[in-house]
Every structure is written in C-alpha cells, then in structure tokens.
Amino acid sequence: MESIMNIEYFNSENSDYFIKLSGEMDAYGCSQVDSELEKVLDADSVQHISLDIDKVTFLDSSGIGVIVFLFKRLKSSGGTLEISNVNGQPKELIKLLRVGSVIPVKFK
C-alpha cells in the first residue's frame, strides 16, 4: 500500500513561506506534492522557505531531489531554503549526504 504525502503551507507578510510535509518522500509521495510546490515557487515574492519535515517518515533520492530542486530555484532568484525538525530516517540520510554543508538544517 502506497502512503499519501501531505503538504501544508502558508506565507508570512515578509515573503517567507513555511511548508510542512508529512508522509514518505519517495517517488510516489513527491509526485503528489510537485504541483503544490510549483505554485509556491511561482509566487514572485518568495524569498525564503522553511521546510518542516518533522512528520516525514521516509526519505530517499526522490525526496533529496525535491529538496535540491527547491534550493536551486530559490538560490537562482536570491532566495534561501532551510530544513527544520529533521529526525528519524530522514535525519540519517541528510547527515550521510552532508546536505547541511550546503543547506541550513535544524535537527530535532
């Protein structure tokens, strides 16, 4: 049985977006939220995204790809990305890949 990935997001008055993801960030899960992430990135005013993955139970190369995609899109327009509440299996992979050497990561 495939799990469902959920996305919640809101923006503050200063062009910051807060995105909460839950579920599995695998190929199937990421395909469920791609269009929503595109909507956020297409907003002209986005300068910073805080990506909360506290409720992400699994992360693989597809999920890392989404994170890198967000980072590159924001960086190209002068914006920034941070990943917060990283724990469990995603924490192990993010540490192994040394994502924190490029993107600010806050471990839980």
XYZ file of all heavy atoms in Angstrom:
840
model
N 0.842 -1.195 0.000
C 0.000 0.000 0.000
C 0.880 1.248 0.000
O 1.797 1.373 0.803
C -0.874 -0.008 1.251
C -1.849 1.130 1.311
S -2.969 0.895 2.695
C -3.273 2.587 3.088
N 0.610 2.152 -0.918
C 1.396 3.374 -1.015
C 0.876 4.407 -0.037
O -0.320 4.528 0.182
C 1.326 3.914 -2.444
C 1.961 2.961 -3.427
C 1.697 3.342 -4.852
O 0.637 3.909 -5.132
O 2.553 3.057 -5.685
N 1.802 5.130 0.579
C 1.377 6.139 1.548
C 1.100 7.460 0.843
O 1.623 7.740 -0.221
C 2.436 6.335 2.625
O 3.438 7.202 2.176
N 0.294 8.247 1.484
C -0.055 9.548 0.944
C 0.839 10.594 1.579
O 1.076 10.573 2.775
C -1.535 9.852 1.227
C -2.370 8.795 0.548
C -1.881 11.256 0.834
C -3.765 9.112 0.238
N 1.346 11.480 0.767
C 2.168 12.573 1.267
C 1.303 13.814 1.306
O 0.564 14.097 0.372
C 3.372 12.784 0.357
C 4.349 13.745 0.928
S 5.889 13.623 0.010
C 6.769 14.903 0.802
N 1.402 14.534 2.395
C 0.613 15.753 2.557
C 1.528 16.961 2.616
O 2.652 16.880 3.083
C -0.219 15.688 3.836
C -1.298 14.646 3.754
O -2.059 14.613 2.801
N -1.349 13.776 4.741
N 0.980 18.082 2.170
C 1.711 19.342 2.222
C 0.790 20.405 2.801
O -0.391 20.468 2.469
C 2.221 19.763 0.824
C 3.011 21.066 0.888
C 1.088 19.858 -0.171
C 3.710 21.435 -0.410
N 1.329 21.183 3.714
C 0.633 22.351 4.241
C 1.597 23.511 4.099
O 2.790 23.358 4.363
C 0.322 22.178 5.729
C -0.636 21.067 6.071
C -0.765 20.940 7.588
O -1.089 21.936 8.243
O -0.495 19.840 8.083
N 1.097 24.637 3.678
C 1.993 25.787 3.588
C 1.228 27.076 3.836
O 0.024 27.163 3.636
C 2.727 25.834 2.248
C 1.838 25.908 1.030
C 1.464 27.128 0.494
C 1.406 24.742 0.399
C 0.660 27.190 -0.630
C 0.608 24.797 -0.725
C 0.238 26.025 -1.239
O -0.556 26.092 -2.342
N 1.960 28.045 4.325
C 1.409 29.380 4.492
C 2.555 30.364 4.374
O 3.712 30.024 4.551
C 0.661 29.523 5.821
C 1.501 29.286 7.040
C 2.106 30.336 7.703
C 1.677 27.997 7.540
C 2.879 30.113 8.818
C 2.446 27.762 8.667
C 3.049 28.833 9.314
N 2.203 31.581 4.016
C 3.247 32.586 3.899
C 3.009 33.697 4.913
O 1.889 33.949 5.330
C 3.330 33.142 2.479
C 2.089 33.891 2.062
O 0.986 33.436 2.299
N 2.274 35.015 1.435
N 4.087 34.314 5.305
C 4.014 35.438 6.233
C 4.057 36.723 5.421
O 4.251 36.704 4.210
C 5.171 35.374 7.229
O 6.387 35.521 6.540
N 3.912 37.825 6.097
C 3.874 39.114 5.411
C 5.228 39.510 4.813
O 5.301 40.398 4.009
C 3.364 40.208 6.353
C 4.234 40.473 7.577
C 4.068 39.454 8.704
O 3.136 38.631 8.647
O 4.881 39.493 9.631
N 6.301 38.835 5.190
C 7.623 39.241 4.703
C 8.201 38.281 3.657
O 9.402 38.099 3.594
C 8.587 39.398 5.873
C 8.801 38.094 6.614
O 8.141 37.102 6.337
N 9.720 38.094 7.548
N 7.382 37.688 2.847
C 7.799 36.827 1.736
C 8.424 35.503 2.168
O 9.121 34.866 1.397
C 8.775 37.558 0.798
O 8.186 38.726 0.304
N 8.219 35.107 3.408
C 8.678 33.805 3.873
C 7.535 32.802 3.747
O 6.398 33.119 4.056
C 9.103 33.849 5.348
C 10.410 34.578 5.562
O 11.013 35.021 4.572
O 10.819 34.696 6.726
N 7.870 31.604 3.303
C 6.893 30.520 3.248
C 7.311 29.437 4.228
O 8.485 29.136 4.370
C 6.813 29.900 1.845
C 5.801 30.556 0.955
C 6.068 31.760 0.332
C 4.556 29.977 0.745
C 5.136 32.369 -0.478
C 3.624 30.574 -0.063
C 3.912 31.769 -0.672
O 2.981 32.370 -1.470
N 6.331 28.878 4.889
C 6.545 27.765 5.795
C 5.817 26.567 5.199
O 4.614 26.622 4.996
C 6.017 28.092 7.198
C 6.704 29.280 7.800
C 6.182 30.549 7.652
C 7.895 29.127 8.491
C 6.826 31.657 8.181
C 8.551 30.223 9.024
C 8.020 31.485 8.871
N 6.560 25.518 4.914
C 5.991 24.330 4.298
C 6.196 23.159 5.244
O 7.317 22.909 5.686
C 6.656 24.022 2.939
C 6.461 25.182 1.975
C 6.105 22.720 2.360
C 7.184 25.004 0.641
N 5.097 22.455 5.558
C 5.160 21.246 6.378
C 4.823 20.064 5.500
O 3.763 20.034 4.872
C 4.131 21.311 7.515
C 4.567 22.034 8.714
C 3.544 21.835 9.820
C 4.258 22.043 11.120
N 3.490 21.704 12.272
N 5.720 19.102 5.460
C 5.474 17.887 4.700
C 5.281 16.730 5.663
O 5.910 16.681 6.721
C 6.648 17.583 3.773
C 6.909 18.586 2.661
C 8.170 18.197 1.890
C 5.732 18.681 1.711
N 4.427 15.797 5.289
C 4.245 14.582 6.084
C 4.046 13.411 5.139
O 3.574 13.574 4.023
C 3.056 14.724 7.036
O 1.863 14.945 6.318
N 4.457 12.238 5.601
C 4.360 11.033 4.775
C 5.723 10.577 4.325
O 6.728 10.837 4.983
N 5.760 9.911 3.193
C 7.003 9.375 2.663
C 7.458 10.187 1.462
O 6.720 10.328 0.493
C 6.822 7.906 2.274
C 6.523 7.025 3.466
C 6.466 5.544 3.121
O 6.663 5.171 1.949
O 6.235 4.758 4.055
N 8.683 10.711 1.533
C 9.255 11.471 0.421
C 9.993 10.519 -0.509
O 11.203 10.540 -0.628
C 10.187 12.581 0.923
C 9.469 13.774 1.491
S 10.591 15.126 1.966
C 10.945 15.866 0.358
N 9.204 9.658 -1.166
C 9.744 8.767 -2.190
C 9.183 9.231 -3.530
O 8.531 10.275 -3.604
C 9.394 7.308 -1.877
C 7.902 7.061 -1.716
O 7.087 7.977 -2.000
O 7.538 5.954 -1.291
N 9.429 8.487 -4.596
C 8.979 8.913 -5.927
C 7.466 9.142 -5.952
O 6.987 10.143 -6.480
C 9.386 7.893 -6.979
N 6.713 8.219 -5.377
C 5.254 8.346 -5.377
C 4.808 9.540 -4.539
O 4.000 10.358 -4.975
C 4.609 7.055 -4.863
C 3.109 7.131 -4.830
C 2.368 7.075 -6.008
C 2.427 7.266 -3.629
C 0.992 7.148 -5.988
C 1.042 7.349 -3.601
C 0.331 7.286 -4.782
O -1.033 7.376 -4.763
N 5.338 9.654 -3.342
C 4.950 10.751 -2.450
C 5.292 12.111 -3.027
O 4.488 13.048 -2.982
N 6.482 12.236 -3.587
C 6.899 13.516 -4.150
C 6.048 13.906 -5.349
O 5.764 15.082 -5.556
C 8.380 13.473 -4.522
S 9.465 13.416 -3.084
N 5.611 12.916 -6.126
C 4.756 13.221 -7.280
C 3.418 13.799 -6.832
O 2.774 14.530 -7.574
C 4.541 11.973 -8.136
O 3.707 11.038 -7.464
N 3.004 13.506 -5.597
C 1.733 14.012 -5.082
C 1.802 15.491 -4.708
O 0.771 16.153 -4.661
C 1.308 13.216 -3.839
C 0.990 11.775 -4.132
C 0.688 11.003 -2.865
O 1.355 11.147 -1.852
N -0.338 10.188 -2.922
N 2.994 16.009 -4.408
C 3.106 17.395 -3.956
C 3.834 18.311 -4.937
O 3.941 19.509 -4.695
C 3.774 17.477 -2.555
C 2.927 16.785 -1.516
C 5.182 16.937 -2.571
N 4.314 17.757 -6.047
C 5.058 18.556 -7.034
C 4.305 19.807 -7.476
O 4.872 20.892 -7.507
C 5.390 17.727 -8.282
C 6.655 16.904 -8.113
O 7.388 17.140 -7.131
O 6.894 16.025 -8.952
N 3.038 19.661 -7.831
C 2.286 20.808 -8.352
C 2.092 21.882 -7.286
O 2.119 23.077 -7.582
C 0.946 20.367 -8.939
O 0.132 19.782 -7.942
N 1.910 21.463 -6.037
C 1.755 22.439 -4.948
C 3.064 23.201 -4.718
O 3.050 24.410 -4.483
C 1.326 21.749 -3.649
C -0.080 21.207 -3.686
C -1.136 22.291 -3.850
O -1.038 23.350 -3.193
O -2.052 22.087 -4.665
N 4.183 22.499 -4.771
C 5.478 23.165 -4.604
C 5.729 24.140 -5.744
O 6.273 25.229 -5.531
C 6.600 22.132 -4.512
C 6.626 21.299 -3.236
C 7.667 20.189 -3.339
C 6.882 22.158 -2.010
N 5.326 23.773 -6.950
C 5.472 24.681 -8.094
C 4.683 25.970 -7.870
O 5.155 27.054 -8.198
C 5.010 24.010 -9.393
C 6.003 23.063 -9.980
C 7.255 23.745 -10.521
O 7.211 24.916 -10.953
O 8.302 23.093 -10.510
N 3.468 25.846 -7.309
C 2.648 27.033 -7.025
C 3.368 27.969 -6.074
O 3.366 29.185 -6.262
C 1.302 26.632 -6.413
C 0.312 26.066 -7.374
C -0.983 25.778 -6.635
C -1.847 24.796 -7.369
N -3.032 24.410 -6.599
N 3.970 27.408 -5.035
C 4.695 28.232 -4.067
C 5.876 28.914 -4.747
O 6.092 30.115 -4.581
C 5.185 27.386 -2.860
C 6.112 28.187 -1.976
C 4.003 26.857 -2.062
N 6.635 28.169 -5.532
C 7.811 28.730 -6.192
C 7.453 29.758 -7.253
O 8.243 30.656 -7.541
C 8.655 27.619 -6.811
C 9.385 26.738 -5.807
C 10.003 25.536 -6.517
C 10.456 27.509 -5.067
N 6.293 29.630 -7.850
C 5.880 30.572 -8.885
C 5.425 31.914 -8.321
O 5.284 32.869 -9.060
C 4.778 29.966 -9.760
C 5.325 28.899 -10.703
O 6.555 28.852 -10.912
O 4.518 28.101 -11.221
N 5.211 31.980 -7.018
C 4.851 33.259 -6.395
C 6.079 34.167 -6.469
O 7.165 33.802 -6.029
C 4.415 33.045 -4.954
N 5.914 35.330 -7.047
C 7.041 36.238 -7.270
C 7.739 36.682 -5.990
O 8.912 37.002 -5.998
C 6.579 37.488 -8.029
C 6.168 37.157 -9.453
O 6.684 36.169 -9.999
O 5.345 37.897 -9.996
N 7.017 36.705 -4.907
C 7.556 37.309 -3.691
C 8.323 36.344 -2.785
O 8.827 36.750 -1.754
C 6.408 37.926 -2.899
O 5.488 36.907 -2.536
N 8.434 35.077 -3.144
C 9.076 34.097 -2.268
C 10.566 34.396 -2.144
O 11.291 34.408 -3.131
C 8.884 32.652 -2.778
C 9.613 31.675 -1.882
C 7.426 32.301 -2.858
N 11.010 34.660 -0.919
C 12.426 34.915 -0.662
C 13.048 33.847 0.226
O 14.246 33.637 0.193
C 12.609 36.288 -0.011
C 12.382 37.425 -0.966
C 13.327 37.357 -2.156
O 14.537 37.276 -2.012
N 12.779 37.355 -3.352
N 12.232 33.197 1.026
C 12.756 32.204 1.961
C 11.701 31.122 2.183
O 10.524 31.432 2.340
C 13.108 32.862 3.292
C 13.565 31.877 4.328
N 14.812 31.300 4.301
C 12.924 31.347 5.393
C 14.914 30.460 5.328
N 13.786 30.465 5.998
N 12.140 29.878 2.202
C 11.247 28.773 2.538
C 11.852 28.010 3.703
O 13.032 27.663 3.685
C 11.024 27.818 1.344
C 10.209 28.500 0.256
C 10.324 26.533 1.801
C 9.950 27.652 -0.983
N 11.037 27.795 4.702
C 11.395 26.920 5.814
C 10.624 25.622 5.599
O 9.392 25.615 5.611
C 11.016 27.561 7.149
O 11.340 26.687 8.206
N 11.346 24.543 5.373
C 10.754 23.245 5.059
C 10.784 22.367 6.306
O 11.844 21.929 6.734
C 11.539 22.596 3.915
C 11.022 21.283 3.365
C 9.649 21.476 2.712
C 12.005 20.721 2.344
N 9.620 22.152 6.901
C 9.491 21.353 8.122
C 9.183 19.912 7.732
O 8.136 19.626 7.168
C 8.368 21.924 8.986
C 8.199 21.219 10.316
O 8.553 20.024 10.430
O 7.701 21.851 11.251
N 10.120 18.998 8.039
C 9.915 17.595 7.670
C 9.785 16.702 8.907
O 10.089 15.512 8.852
C 11.001 17.086 6.699
C 12.397 17.103 7.320
C 10.984 17.879 5.391
C 13.442 16.376 6.471
N 9.298 17.279 9.987
C 9.121 16.536 11.238
C 8.272 15.280 11.044
O 8.539 14.236 11.623
C 8.486 17.443 12.291
C 8.293 16.745 13.626
O 9.174 15.958 14.017
O 7.267 16.990 14.282
N 7.251 15.350 10.200
C 6.323 14.232 10.009
C 6.644 13.396 8.776
O 5.835 12.582 8.346
C 4.883 14.759 9.911
C 4.427 15.553 11.112
C 4.309 14.686 12.332
C 3.769 15.502 13.502
N 3.966 14.875 14.766
N 7.815 13.602 8.189
C 8.251 12.763 7.072
C 8.858 11.497 7.664
O 9.794 11.550 8.450
C 9.265 13.497 6.169
C 9.874 12.552 5.146
C 8.588 14.667 5.467
N 8.290 10.358 7.302
C 8.724 9.091 7.890
C 9.789 8.378 7.067
O 10.467 7.488 7.568
C 7.520 8.147 8.059
O 6.881 7.971 6.783
C 6.531 8.713 9.060
N 9.927 8.760 5.794
C 10.902 8.109 4.910
C 11.362 9.104 3.865
O 10.563 9.866 3.322
C 10.275 6.890 4.232
C 11.202 6.190 3.283
C 12.213 5.368 3.763
C 11.076 6.359 1.918
C 13.085 4.724 2.893
C 11.945 5.722 1.034
C 12.948 4.893 1.525
N 12.652 9.099 3.585
C 13.239 9.992 2.590
C 14.197 9.179 1.727
O 15.022 8.431 2.256
C 13.993 11.116 3.320
C 14.765 12.130 2.484
C 13.804 13.012 1.695
C 15.632 13.002 3.394
N 14.057 9.308 0.402
C 15.007 8.640 -0.487
C 15.519 9.644 -1.521
O 15.346 10.856 -1.345
C 14.399 7.390 -1.132
C 13.309 7.657 -2.154
O 13.048 8.842 -2.478
O 12.701 6.687 -2.645
N 16.135 9.156 -2.585
C 16.740 10.049 -3.568
C 15.716 10.983 -4.218
O 16.055 12.117 -4.580
C 17.474 9.248 -4.635
O 16.578 8.375 -5.301
N 14.478 10.543 -4.350
C 13.438 11.415 -4.919
C 13.181 12.610 -4.007
O 13.035 13.744 -4.474
C 12.135 10.644 -5.121
O 12.310 9.613 -6.050
N 13.138 12.353 -2.715
C 12.939 13.433 -1.744
C 14.115 14.390 -1.711
O 13.943 15.614 -1.652
N 15.327 13.833 -1.773
C 16.521 14.679 -1.829
C 16.471 15.530 -3.099
O 16.813 16.714 -3.085
C 17.810 13.828 -1.783
C 17.946 13.127 -0.417
C 19.034 14.664 -2.099
C 18.188 14.039 0.770
N 16.007 14.936 -4.192
C 15.873 15.674 -5.449
C 14.933 16.855 -5.322
O 15.210 17.943 -5.846
N 13.833 16.679 -4.614
C 12.878 17.773 -4.399
C 13.535 18.885 -3.575
O 13.389 20.071 -3.878
C 11.592 17.261 -3.701
C 10.750 18.403 -3.164
C 10.781 16.411 -4.669
N 14.266 18.503 -2.535
C 14.945 19.486 -1.689
C 15.972 20.275 -2.504
O 16.034 21.504 -2.427
C 15.583 18.797 -0.470
C 14.486 18.283 0.469
C 16.538 19.739 0.257
C 14.966 17.352 1.569
N 16.769 19.577 -3.309
C 17.781 20.241 -4.134
C 17.108 21.152 -5.164
O 17.566 22.270 -5.418
C 18.708 19.205 -4.813
C 19.597 19.847 -5.874
C 19.546 18.497 -3.761
N 16.014 20.689 -5.754
C 15.257 21.493 -6.710
C 14.788 22.801 -6.062
O 14.963 23.884 -6.620
C 14.063 20.691 -7.240
C 13.105 21.500 -8.053
C 13.410 21.860 -9.354
C 11.890 21.899 -7.516
C 12.510 22.609 -10.111
C 10.992 22.643 -8.256
C 11.303 23.009 -9.566
N 14.190 22.697 -4.866
C 13.745 23.895 -4.143
C 14.915 24.838 -3.888
O 14.824 26.042 -4.109
C 13.106 23.515 -2.802
C 11.701 22.969 -2.804
C 11.331 22.463 -1.405
C 10.714 24.025 -3.257
N 16.014 24.271 -3.398
C 17.198 25.064 -3.082
C 17.703 25.820 -4.310
O 17.962 27.025 -4.257
C 18.287 24.151 -2.509
C 19.609 24.845 -2.314
C 19.780 25.741 -1.271
C 20.670 24.597 -3.161
C 20.997 26.380 -1.081
C 21.884 25.225 -2.984
C 22.047 26.128 -1.937
N 17.838 25.112 -5.439
C 18.365 25.741 -6.649
C 17.438 26.828 -7.188
O 17.905 27.881 -7.627
C 18.630 24.683 -7.724
C 19.861 23.857 -7.453
C 20.110 22.887 -8.594
C 21.434 22.176 -8.418
N 21.730 21.301 -9.555
N 16.139 26.548 -7.175
C 15.181 27.549 -7.669
C 15.214 28.813 -6.809
O 15.199 29.925 -7.330
C 13.753 26.989 -7.665
C 13.400 26.089 -8.799
C 13.023 26.820 -10.086
N 11.904 27.713 -9.987
C 10.642 27.401 -10.240
N 10.331 26.173 -10.613
N 9.694 28.298 -10.132
N 15.256 28.636 -5.495
C 15.312 29.796 -4.605
C 16.627 30.549 -4.762
O 16.645 31.778 -4.835
C 15.120 29.365 -3.152
C 13.692 28.991 -2.780
C 13.669 28.223 -1.476
C 12.823 30.241 -2.678
N 17.732 29.822 -4.798
C 19.049 30.452 -4.901
C 19.172 31.267 -6.181
O 19.743 32.354 -6.186
C 20.144 29.397 -4.829
C 21.529 29.985 -4.753
C 22.578 28.926 -4.547
C 23.944 29.591 -4.467
N 25.011 28.657 -4.297
N 18.609 30.763 -7.281
C 18.709 31.464 -8.566
C 17.981 32.808 -8.548
O 18.301 33.690 -9.340
C 18.172 30.594 -9.703
O 16.767 30.466 -9.616
N 17.024 32.962 -7.634
C 16.303 34.238 -7.540
C 16.699 35.012 -6.280
O 15.990 35.927 -5.859
C 14.794 33.993 -7.572
O 14.399 33.216 -6.456
N 17.801 34.608 -5.659
C 18.284 35.323 -4.478
C 17.632 34.898 -3.178
O 17.814 35.533 -2.147
N 16.881 33.806 -3.209
C 16.185 33.334 -2.014
C 16.983 32.285 -1.257
O 18.076 31.891 -1.669
N 16.417 31.852 -0.138
C 17.085 30.864 0.703
C 16.112 29.768 1.125
O 14.899 29.964 1.147
C 17.671 31.514 1.969
O 16.619 32.171 2.679
C 18.772 32.501 1.630
N 16.695 28.626 1.495
C 15.928 27.477 1.974
C 16.569 26.977 3.252
O 17.796 26.988 3.376
C 15.957 26.348 0.928
C 15.359 24.995 1.344
C 13.845 25.089 1.466
C 15.741 23.914 0.347
N 15.737 26.565 4.204
C 16.243 25.866 5.378
C 15.338 24.666 5.625
O 14.161 24.688 5.279
C 16.293 26.762 6.615
C 14.945 27.052 7.212
C 15.012 27.811 8.529
O 16.096 28.210 8.965
O 13.954 28.001 9.118
N 15.913 23.610 6.191
C 15.158 22.404 6.513
C 15.112 22.305 8.036
O 16.158 22.399 8.687
C 15.829 21.150 5.925
C 16.123 21.343 4.433
C 14.951 19.924 6.133
C 17.076 20.321 3.865
N 13.929 22.099 8.590
C 13.815 22.065 10.047
C 13.131 20.795 10.542
O 12.461 20.097 9.785
C 13.060 23.293 10.548
O 11.747 23.311 10.053
N 13.320 20.527 11.829
C 12.716 19.382 12.520
C 13.060 18.054 11.862
O 12.209 17.190 11.689
C 11.202 19.553 12.650
C 10.835 20.701 13.551
O 11.458 20.905 14.592
N 9.852 21.479 13.153
N 14.322 17.895 11.510
C 14.786 16.686 10.833
C 15.069 15.604 11.871
O 15.827 15.831 12.811
C 16.047 16.987 9.997
C 16.511 15.747 9.269
C 15.776 18.121 9.016
N 14.438 14.452 11.707
C 14.627 13.359 12.657
C 14.428 12.015 11.974
O 14.051 11.942 10.815
C 13.678 13.525 13.850
C 12.220 13.392 13.447
O 11.720 12.279 13.303
N 11.531 14.510 13.237
N 14.686 10.934 12.710
C 14.451 9.581 12.206
C 15.299 9.237 10.989
O 16.436 9.686 10.850
N 14.740 8.443 10.096
C 15.449 8.004 8.898
C 15.877 9.184 8.017
O 17.006 9.200 7.517
C 14.585 7.003 8.109
C 15.283 6.403 6.895
C 15.078 7.216 5.621
O 14.135 7.993 5.499
N 15.981 7.037 4.664
N 15.017 10.221 7.837
C 15.469 11.370 7.044
C 16.729 12.029 7.628
O 17.610 12.452 6.889
C 14.271 12.320 7.069
C 13.092 11.404 7.215
C 13.583 10.324 8.147
N 16.819 12.072 8.942
C 17.992 12.662 9.597
C 19.256 11.885 9.229
O 20.292 12.481 8.910
C 17.794 12.656 11.113
C 18.965 13.178 11.901
C 18.653 13.135 13.392
C 19.810 13.614 14.237
N 19.479 13.599 15.671
N 19.158 10.562 9.262
C 20.321 9.736 8.935
C 20.785 9.970 7.500
O 21.977 10.093 7.236
C 20.006 8.250 9.160
C 19.647 7.902 10.599
C 20.682 8.392 11.604
O 21.894 8.182 11.375
O 20.289 8.993 12.621
N 19.848 10.032 6.552
C 20.215 10.233 5.148
C 20.774 11.636 4.921
O 21.781 11.805 4.220
C 19.008 9.991 4.233
C 19.299 10.067 2.733
C 20.357 9.044 2.315
C 18.029 9.870 1.931
N 20.157 12.631 5.519
C 20.626 14.010 5.353
C 22.032 14.174 5.932
O 22.876 14.849 5.347
C 19.601 14.996 5.949
C 18.418 15.106 4.972
C 20.218 16.359 6.233
C 17.250 15.920 5.453
N 22.292 13.512 7.062
C 23.648 13.551 7.631
C 24.633 12.813 6.724
O 25.732 13.301 6.465
C 23.661 12.915 9.030
C 23.175 13.835 10.108
C 23.341 13.144 11.460
C 23.146 14.115 12.594
N 23.384 13.459 13.898
N 24.248 11.638 6.250
C 25.112 10.833 5.393
C 25.499 11.589 4.124
O 26.657 11.568 3.700
C 24.413 9.517 5.026
C 25.176 8.585 4.101
C 26.370 7.973 4.834
C 24.270 7.486 3.586
N 24.539 12.277 3.528
C 24.780 13.013 2.290
C 25.366 14.402 2.528
O 25.656 15.116 1.572
C 23.485 13.124 1.478
C 22.894 11.807 0.996
C 21.568 12.045 0.295
C 23.863 11.082 0.081
N 25.500 14.782 3.788
C 26.054 16.087 4.176
C 25.304 17.258 3.544
O 25.910 18.236 3.094
C 27.539 16.122 3.864
C 28.298 15.049 4.635
C 29.744 15.020 4.351
N 30.301 16.361 4.435
C 31.568 16.647 4.281
N 32.419 15.689 4.048
N 32.000 17.886 4.351
N 23.989 17.135 3.513
C 23.133 18.190 2.964
C 23.359 19.495 3.728
O 23.351 20.580 3.154
C 21.644 17.772 3.010
C 20.727 18.903 2.637
C 21.423 16.562 2.107
N 23.619 19.377 5.030
C 23.817 20.556 5.872
C 25.026 21.399 5.502
O 25.143 22.541 5.943
N 25.926 20.863 4.689
C 27.076 21.663 4.262
C 26.686 22.685 3.194
O 27.444 23.600 2.910
C 28.201 20.757 3.754
O 27.808 20.086 2.572
N 25.499 22.522 2.621
C 25.024 23.433 1.580
C 23.738 24.153 1.991
O 23.569 25.344 1.751
C 24.763 22.657 0.262
C 24.235 23.577 -0.825
C 26.018 21.953 -0.203
N 22.826 23.422 2.629
C 21.524 23.949 3.036
C 21.462 23.929 4.561
O 21.758 22.893 5.162
C 20.380 23.086 2.458
C 20.466 23.018 0.926
C 19.023 23.627 2.893
C 19.550 21.979 0.299
N 21.056 25.030 5.198
C 20.916 25.010 6.655
C 19.893 23.950 7.097
O 18.784 23.898 6.571
C 20.423 26.416 7.005
C 20.832 27.264 5.833
C 20.782 26.356 4.634
N 20.307 23.095 8.041
C 19.460 22.012 8.538
C 19.384 22.122 10.055
O 20.398 22.280 10.721
C 20.040 20.628 8.159
C 19.201 19.505 8.755
C 20.137 20.478 6.646
N 18.161 22.036 10.585
C 17.949 22.027 12.027
C 17.441 20.644 12.424
O 16.332 20.260 12.069
C 16.929 23.087 12.440
C 17.412 24.504 12.173
C 16.355 25.512 12.568
C 16.837 26.912 12.239
N 15.788 27.911 12.449
N 18.300 19.910 13.136
C 17.921 18.576 13.576
C 17.079 18.646 14.828
O 17.237 19.536 15.654
C 19.170 17.712 13.828
C 19.976 17.473 12.570
C 21.171 18.138 12.368
C 19.531 16.593 11.616
C 21.922 17.924 11.215
C 20.261 16.367 10.457
C 21.455 17.041 10.258
N 16.199 17.684 14.967
C 15.318 17.634 16.134
C 15.936 16.756 17.186
O 16.620 15.816 16.927
C 13.952 17.071 15.713
C 12.917 17.172 16.775
C 11.577 16.823 16.177
C 10.545 16.878 17.297
N 9.266 16.432 16.841
